[in-house]
C-alpha cells in the first residue's frame, strides 16, 4: 500500500482461501479505504475469517474495529500472541482471539497451513512472524522493514541501506535481533514480505540477513551503554584469561598427581616383580648348580639335560610374561577402545594373585563373559589393581582371619558394574566422605600416598564417564565401578 510523501510505508497482505481467507497486518485508518477496495477487487471482505496482528502498533492494528464491521462474522478470529492481547484490546476489538502460543504456533485450515515463529522484543514482547510453507513466503512484520519515501515494490541490491535505520532505532539490541534472525535463517524462503519497505526475493535474502546480523541497534547505538558494554566485555575477557590460567595450572597439578601416583604404584609393582621372579630365579640357579656338578662328575645324562633345560626355559618364559604383564599395565592408552571387562580383570588378577596368595588372602571372581565397555583399558586395569591393593592392605593391617576378597561382574540397567568387596570390617564413617580425596590415607606414610583412590575416581568419572562409589556392607567395604555397557548380556 503506497502512501505518497511518507517514508513509513505500511503493507497489509491478503491470503485468498475462500471463506477462510486471511488478512495480515491490516494497517491504520490511513490505508483503510485502499485496503478494502483492493480486497473487494479480488474477493470479498466477508470471506475473511482470520486477521493476523504481528504486534500491537497502530500503523498495523488501528483499523481492525472498522474491518470487523465490514467482515461482520461471529467466527472472525484475531491471531496474535497472548502477550499482545492486553494491548490490542484497547482498540475496542470485539472478536475472539486465536493466541498462537496456545495453539502450538500454527494454524491449519483446510489446505492452508501457517506457522508462527516467535521473535520476542522485535520490537514488542509478543512479536512473531508468519511462514507459509507451500509458497515458502515469510510475512515478517517489522523485521526487514525499510524506511524510504521513494518506495519500490521489489527490494534492490541497496535495500540494506534503506532498512538499517529502522532496525537500528526499533530493535532493542543486536543480541535480541540476532536471536530472531537465527530462527528466520533456518527457514527455506522464496520471498520475505515485511510490513514496511519492499518485497525481498530469494537471491537477496542470505546477504541481507548477514548484514542485519552485524548491525548495531537499540541499546548499542547509545554511546553510554556502548562504552559500558565494552568495559564489561573487557572485564569478562580478563576473567576468562584468568580462569584459563587457573585451569591450566589445575591440569598441570592433576597431571603431577597422576605421575606421582603412577610412580608410587610402580615402586610397589617393582617389588611385586621381584617377588614373582624370586622363586623361578632360585629354581634356575639350583638347576644350573646341579647340571654343573653332574657335568663335572661326568654323570649327566642327555635326557636329564634336556628336561632341566626345558624347566629353565619355562621359568624364563614365566619371568618374561611377568614383565609383559607389567609393561601392558604401564603402557599409556591414547584413545578409547571397546574391551572386555572380564579380560581386563583377569589381567589385573594375574598381577595381584601372587601378592594375595603370599598374604593368605582368598580371592573369588564371579565373572561375565559378555560384558564390554568403551574406555581406556590400561587405566581401568590400574583402577582395579589400586582397589585390590587397598583391600589387601586393609586385611593385613587389621589382621583378619580367613581374609577374602570377592570380585563380581554384573549387568544393571544398561551398565556394566564391577564390585570389589572384602571382609576387613569396612570404612569408618568419619573417613567415608574423604575416601576419594587426594592425599587422604589411613595407612602409615611409608605404606601409601593417599592418591590411589583419588586417581581411580578421576579415571572412571572424568576420563571414562562412569561412576566409582563405595559402601559399607556387613563384613567390609564394597567398591562399585559402573560404566555404560556397549553390547552383550551378563
Amino acid at each position: 500500500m503506497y502512501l505518497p510523501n511518507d517514508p513509513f510505508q505500511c503493507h497489509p497482505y491478503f491470503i485468498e482461501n475462500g471463506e477462510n481467507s486471511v488478512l495480515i497486518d491490516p494497517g491504520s485508518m490511513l490505508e483503510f479505504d485502499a485496503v478494502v477496495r483492493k480486497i473487494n477487487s479480488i474477493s470479498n471482505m466477508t470471506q475473511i475469517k482470520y486477521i493476523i496482528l504481528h504486534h500491537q502498533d497502530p500503523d498495523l492494528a488501528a483499523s481492525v474495529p472498522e474491518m470487523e464491521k465490514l467482515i461482520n462474522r461471529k467466527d472472525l478470529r484475531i491471531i496474535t500472541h497472548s502477550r499482545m492481547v492486553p494491548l490490542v484490546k484497547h482498540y475496542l476489538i470485539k472478536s475472539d482471539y486465536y493466541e498462537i502460543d496456545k495453539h502450538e504456533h500454527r494454524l491449519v485450515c483446510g489446505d492452508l497451513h501457517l506457522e508462527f515463529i516467535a521473535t520476542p522484543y522485535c520490537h514488542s514482547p509478543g512479536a512473531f512472524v508468519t511462514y507459509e510453507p507451500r509458497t515458502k513466503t515469510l510475512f515478517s512484520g517489522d523485521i526487514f522493514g525499510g524506511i524510504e519515501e521513494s518506495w519500490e515494490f521489489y527490494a534492490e541490491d541497496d535495500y540494506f541501506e534503506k532498512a538499517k535505520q529502522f532496525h537500528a532505532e526499533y530493535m532493542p539490541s543486536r543480541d535480541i535481533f540476532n536471536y530472531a534472525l537465527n530462527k528466520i535463517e533456518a527457514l527455506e524462503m522464496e520471498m520475505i514480505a515485511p510490513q514496511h519497505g519492499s518485497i525481498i526475493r530469494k537471491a537477496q535474502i542470505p546477504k541481507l540477513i548477514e548484514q542485519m546480523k552485524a548491525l548495531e541497534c537499540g541499546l548499542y547505538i547509545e554511546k553510554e551503554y556502548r562504552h559500558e558494554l565494552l568495559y564489561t566485555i573487557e572485564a569478562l575477557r580478563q576473567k576468562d584469561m584468568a580462569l584459563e590460567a587457573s585451569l591450566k595450572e589445575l591440569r598441570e597439578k592433576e597431571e603431577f598427581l597422576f605421575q606421582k601416583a603412577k610412580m608410587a604404584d610402580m615402586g610397589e609393582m617393582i617389588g611385586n616383580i621381584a617377588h614373582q621372579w624370586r622363586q623361578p630365579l632360585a629354581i634356575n640357579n639350583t638347576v644350573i648348580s646341579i647340571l654343573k656338578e653332574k657335568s663335572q662328575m661326568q654323570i649327566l645324562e642327555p635326557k636329564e639335560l634336556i628336561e632341566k633345560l626345558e624347566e629353565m626355559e619355562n621359568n624364563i618364559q614365566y619371568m618374561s610374561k611377568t614383565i609383559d604383564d607389567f609393561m601392558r599395565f604401564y603402557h599409556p592408552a591414547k584413545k578409547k577402545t571397546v574391551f572386555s571387562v572380564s579380560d581386563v580383570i583377569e589381567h589385573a588378577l594375574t598381577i595381584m594373585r601372587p601378592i594375595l596368595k603370599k598374604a593368605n588372602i582368598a580371592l573369588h571372581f564371579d565373572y561375565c563373559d559378555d560384558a564390554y565397555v568403551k574406555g581406556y583399558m590400561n587405566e581401568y586395569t590400574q583402577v582395579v589393581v589400586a582397589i585390590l591393593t587397598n583391600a589387601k592392605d586393609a586385611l593385613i593391617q587389621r589382621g583378619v582371619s580367613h581374609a577374602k576378597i570377592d570380585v563380581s561382574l554384573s549387568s544393571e540397567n544398561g551398565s556394566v558394574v564391577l564390585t570389589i568387596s572384602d571382609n576387613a570390617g569396612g570404612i569408618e564413617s568419619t573417613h567415608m566422605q574423604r575416601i576419594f580425596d587426594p592425599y587422604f590415607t589411613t595407612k602409615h606414610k611409608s605404606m601409601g600416598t593417599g592418591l590411589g583412590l583419588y586417581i581411580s575416581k578421576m579415571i572412571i568419572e572424568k576420563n571414562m564417564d562412569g561412576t566409582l562409589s563405595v559402601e559399607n556392607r556387613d563384613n567390609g567395604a564394597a567398591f562399585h565401578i559402573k560404566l555404560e555397557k556397549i553390547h552383550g548380556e551378563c
Side-chain angles (χ1 to χ4, degrees):
M1 200 64 58
Y2 179 65
L3 296 175
N5 305 315
D6 189 344
F8 210 60
Q9 299 293 328
C10 300
H11 311 307
Y13 297 95
F14 179 74
I15 300 177
E16 203 285 318
N17 189 42
E19 62 181 11
N20 297 312
S21 295
V22 182
L23 178 59
I24 302 174
D25 297 340
S28 71
M29 293 306 295
L30 294 175
E31 303 96 4
F32 177 76
D33 291 338
V35 171
V36 172
R37 185 176 65 253
K38 288 193 175 185
I39 291 174
N40 285 331
S41 71
I42 58 175
S43 180
N44 190 287
M45 290 295 291
T46 59
Q47 297 289 83
I48 298 173
K49 184 178 180 179
Y50 301 102
I51 295 177
I52 296 177
L53 300 180
H54 285 128
H55 57 84
Q56 77 282 353
D57 286 358
D59 61 298
L60 175 152
S63 67
V64 172
E66 292 303 314
M67 294 285 181
E68 286 180 305
K69 295 175 184 178
L70 294 178
I71 295 168
N72 193 28
R73 289 178 60 163
K74 291 183 178 179
D75 62 347
L76 176 64
R77 295 292 180 268
I78 308 300
I79 298 178
T80 193
H81 196 285
S82 62
R83 293 176 182 173
M84 222 85 74
V85 172
L87 300 173
V88 298
K89 72 178 183 181
H90 291 281
Y91 294 112
L92 301 180
I93 294 173
K94 296 179 179 179
S95 302
D96 291 333
Y97 294 96
Y98 181 97
E99 298 175 7
I100 63 168
D101 46 314
K102 297 179 181 178
H103 290 85
E104 299 181 341
H105 289 83
R106 62 167 57 92
L107 171 69
V108 179
C109 185
D111 294 334
L112 179 65
H113 293 246
L114 296 178
E115 298 174 9
F116 307 113
I117 297 98
T119 56
Y121 305 100
C122 292
H123 68 105
S124 67
F128 64 98
V129 296
T130 300
Y131 179 65
E132 200 280 289
R134 184 177 62 82
T135 61
K136 299 180 175 63
T137 299
L138 179 72
F139 300 96
S140 63
D142 274 346
I143 298 177
F144 302 109
I147 301 178
E148 179 63 30
E149 187 173 335
S150 57
W151 176 73
E152 297 162 335
F153 187 82
Y154 285 113
E156 301 294 337
D157 290 339
D158 63 346
Y159 184 70
F160 174 69
E161 296 300 320
K162 300 175 181 180
K164 68 179 184 180
Q165 179 186 350
F166 174 77
H167 290 80
E169 294 177 356
Y170 279 80
M171 297 298 138
S173 75
R174 188 169 64 185
D175 310 286
I176 293 172
F177 189 32
N178 272 256
Y179 173 74
L181 289 173
N182 287 334
K183 295 170 79 171
I184 290 171
E185 192 174 28
L187 301 171
E188 184 180 356
M189 295 175 286
E190 291 289 333
M191 182 173 67
I192 295 177
Q195 185 204 352
H196 307 292
S198 304
I199 300 293
I200 303 155
R201 290 169 286 193
K202 181 178 181 178
Q204 297 165 311
I205 293 174
K207 182 179 179 182
L208 181 59
I209 290 178
E210 182 181 351
Q211 291 172 315
M212 290 289 189
K213 282 185 173 183
L215 181 66
E216 299 286 8
C217 53
L219 285 173
Y220 287 84
I221 63 176
E222 296 291 334
K223 289 184 179 180
E224 183 177 345
Y225 176 80
R226 184 176 177 83
H227 291 156
E228 183 179 335
L229 181 65
L230 291 174
Y231 173 80
T232 302
I233 291 172
E234 177 61 23
L236 288 173
R237 191 181 70 84
Q238 294 293 336
K239 289 181 179 179
D240 185 62
M241 291 174 61
L243 180 61
E244 183 62 34
S246 297
L247 288 174
K248 183 180 178 182
E249 183 181 355
L250 185 62
R251 284 193 293 267
E252 289 175 352
K253 287 182 178 179
E254 190 176 284
E255 181 62 25
F256 172 74
L257 290 178
F258 269 98
Q259 293 303 323
K260 187 172 181 179
K262 202 77 169 180
M263 292 301 293
D265 289 343
M266 189 175 292
E268 185 171 348
M269 289 302 141
I270 289 172
N272 294 336
I273 292 173
H275 171 75
Q276 293 191 46
W277 275 22
R278 189 170 288 112
Q279 184 177 4
L281 281 173
I283 293 173
N284 281 0
N285 186 52
T286 301
V287 170
I288 291 171
S289 298
I290 292 171
L291 292 177
K292 182 178 180 181
E293 185 176 344
K294 286 190 174 183
S295 177
Q296 290 174 347
M297 297 173 63
Q298 297 183 352
I299 58 174
L300 181 60
E301 296 291 333
K303 182 180 178 181
E304 183 184 8
L305 176 61
I306 293 172
E307 289 176 351
K308 294 298 183 183
L309 289 175
E310 287 178 351
E311 183 180 355
M312 291 174 64
E313 184 178 1
N314 290 336
N315 287 330
I316 291 171
Q317 287 179 353
Y318 169 79
M319 294 164 68
S320 177
K321 183 178 181 300
T322 302
I323 290 295
D324 289 341
D325 287 339
F326 286 102
M327 286 294 290
R328 175 182 162 187
F329 177 73
Y330 284 105
H331 182 70
K334 295 183 179 180
K335 63 179 182 179
K336 290 184 177 181
T337 58
V338 176
F339 61 87
S340 165
V341 180
S342 294
D343 291 347
V344 171
I345 296 171
E346 283 290 0
H347 175 63
L349 296 182
T350 299
I351 295 172
M352 292 299 298
R353 273 195 183 97
I355 303 167
L356 298 176
K357 185 177 180 180
K358 181 184 177 183
N360 294 318
I361 298 173
L363 178 67
H364 175 70
F365 178 28
D366 184 9
Y367 69 95
C368 168
D369 286 330
D370 203 14
Y372 291 84
V373 299
K374 187 173 184 179
Y376 301 101
M377 184 172 62
N378 293 343
E379 290 190 354
Y380 191 93
T381 308
Q382 180 182 346
V383 172
V384 175
V385 170
I387 295 173
L388 289 170
T389 300
N390 268 23
K392 179 260 298 181
D393 291 343
L395 289 164
I396 294 174
Q397 186 177 357
R398 297 177 184 181
V400 177
S401 59
H402 307 294
K404 66 174 183 175
I405 297 175
D406 291 316
V407 180
S408 65
L409 194 58
S410 62
S411 180
E412 180 182 300
N413 297 324
S415 299
V416 174
V417 181
L418 172 63
T419 300
I420 301 175
S421 58
D422 58 54
N423 62 339
I427 301 167
E428 292 182 22
S429 57
T430 54
H431 296 160
M432 186 65 80
Q433 297 299 321
R434 300 181 59 200
I435 198 70
F436 294 110
D437 289 352
Y439 297 110
F440 176 77
T441 180
T442 59
K443 306 172 189 176
H444 187 271
K445 63 181 181 180
S446 64
M447 295 180 63
T449 62
L451 291 172
L453 291 179
Y454 168 73
I455 297 299
S456 296
K457 195 170 182 68
M458 294 285 288
I459 288 172
I460 297 300
E461 298 190 356
K462 183 177 180 180
N463 295 1
M464 298 177 66
D465 300 319
T467 60
L468 172 59
S469 59
V470 63
E471 64 172 341
N472 280 330
R473 292 183 173 177
D474 292 340
N475 298 319
F479 286 83
H480 307 284
I481 303 172
K482 187 175 182 180
L483 293 174
E484 181 183 358
K485 187 177 183 180
I486 298 301
H487 61 79
E489 296 182 356
C490 284

